[in-house]
Amino acid sequence: MHALIHLSQSTPGIFLTWGVFGIQLGNLIVIVSMFVVFGLALVVPFPRGAREGRESRESREDMK
Amino acid sequence: MTDSQLPQPTLEPEPEDVDHSWSGRLRRWVLKVLPPEKLLPTSQPSYVATWIYMFGMGAIASLVFVIGSGAVLSLNGPMWWHLSPLGHFFNSLHLWSVEFFFFFMVIHLWAKFWMAAWRGNRALTWITGVVSFAVSIVAGFTGYLLQTNFDSQWIAYQAKDALNASGIGAWFNVANFGQMFMWHILLLPIAVLVIVALHVLLVRGHGVVPPLDAAESDSQLRETTPTEATSREA
């Protein structure tokens, strides 16, 4: 555990550079993840709640 | 005696019965702008049932963990995590809940920007969101200064130049551990909590903003935006 603590304090991180642009890998992963989660939130269907499911079942039964 | 002859109860109080004390006036104002059905609604419009509307609540859930883990860390002080596995666990919990707080808050910001969430008299809701984001960045920054390692020393001595250049460094001294500690555990958490609470109350008061293509379903937007029919008449 103390070795892990020591490692967490001494590792400088991995830096990626393209010309004048540079970013730490951890920061890049977080930013890319935010874009991915934002995109998924727009397209992934939302689970239907118990109340909504009950109401839609009742409305279907009323129509019969 | 018929029903019409019975004394009818009146909902409006008589003028002489109106309480003019500050607490009475405040109670009437609160009940007017934030009645119980708006403060604690039992249902939301159907358009809220999408994942993109969940990130504000995600940020608030993360904030609960930030405050809780920070309270545990404050019991044993900023050096605890160097010496104890339990302290290291709570320090990591504090760090990762902050990561998730910003993660959810940024996606919430993107979502609300692209649906122009300031529509329908919701400008103050948008502004309090922006202010809470800015104050949270300062809170996060002061947290990085409290790691009590070379990383925090490096951040402090890099940041002092920028703060001194702006003039604020004369009294907001990032090299003063005690001052930054008090900002981080007292002033900034209070500021974040107050602004987030105001933000949530404004969302409750004005209602959740609808998507752009469902604007006609919102009563506040109908009041402030000329509809197609009225613009045609004009």
Side-chain angles (χ1 to χ4, degrees), chain B residues 148-210:
Chain B
T148 56
N149 57 14
F150 287 126
D151 194 17
S152 55
Q153 191 181 34
W154 172 260
I155 294 167
Y157 278 79
Q158 293 298 310
K160 74 172 175 30
D161 294 334
L163 293 167
N164 287 343
S166 70
I168 202 173
W171 65 275
F172 190 82
N173 182 5
V174 290
N176 183 342
F177 183 88
Q179 187 191 15
M180 292 303 107
F181 191 62
M182 295 311 293
W183 273 86
H184 184 73
I185 68 167
L186 182 70
L187 300 175
L188 290 166
I190 290 173
V192 171
L193 286 173
V194 167
I195 297 166
V196 168
L198 183 60
H199 184 71
V200 171
L201 290 176
L202 284 165
V203 172
R204 287 293 164 90
H206 293 289
V208 180
V209 71

Side-chain angles (χ1 to χ4, degrees), chain B residues 85-103:
Chain B
L86 186 64
H88 195 205
F89 169 76
F90 275 101
N91 193 76
S92 299
L93 188 64
H94 196 60
L95 169 71
W96 282 103
S97 50
V98 169
E99 295 276 355
F100 276 105
F101 177 61
F102 278 99
F103 191 97

